[in-house]
Amino acid sequence: MKTTYTNTIERGILTSAYKREIRENIANSKRVTLSKMKSIIDRHHEKVQSQTGTILQVSLFAFALILIIA
C-alpha cells in the first residue's frame, strides 16, 4: 500500500512537499544572490565614478596651476 506524508516534519526525498520546499529554497537563494550581485555592481559603479571625479578635479587643478605659473 502506498503511503503519503502530510506532516511536514516527516518528509522524505520523494514527497511533493519536500520537492516544493527545495524549489522554494532554490528560488530564495537565487533572489539573494541576484540582490548581492546588484549591490556589488552598484558599489563598484559608485567607486569608479568617485575615482573619475577625483582624477578630473586633480587634472583641472594642475591645468589651472600651469596657467597661473606660465
Side-chain angles (χ1 to χ4, degrees):
M1 186 191 296
K2 194 177 194 182
T3 59
T4 59
Y5 295 107
T6 56
N7 190 353
T8 57
I9 295 172
E10 296 182 81
R11 60 175 190 230
I13 294 174
L14 300 176
T15 62
S16 61
Y18 184 73
K19 289 178 185 178
R20 184 172 47 253
E21 186 178 334
I22 294 295
R23 280 190 220 107
E24 289 171 1
N25 287 340
I26 290 172
N28 288 338
S29 69
K30 284 183 181 179
R31 260 186 247 120
V32 169
T33 303
L34 289 176
S35 65
K36 283 182 182 179
M37 289 174 61
K38 184 179 177 183
S39 66
I40 289 170
I41 290 170
D42 286 341
R43 277 181 282 168
H44 179 71
H45 184 66
E46 289 171 2
K47 184 179 176 183
V48 169
Q49 281 183 337
S50 174
Q51 289 175 347
T52 304
T54 304
I55 291 169
L56 287 173
Q57 287 176 346
V58 169
S59 59
L60 182 62
F61 177 75
F63 183 72
L65 192 62
I66 290 172
L67 284 177
I68 291 171
I69 293 175

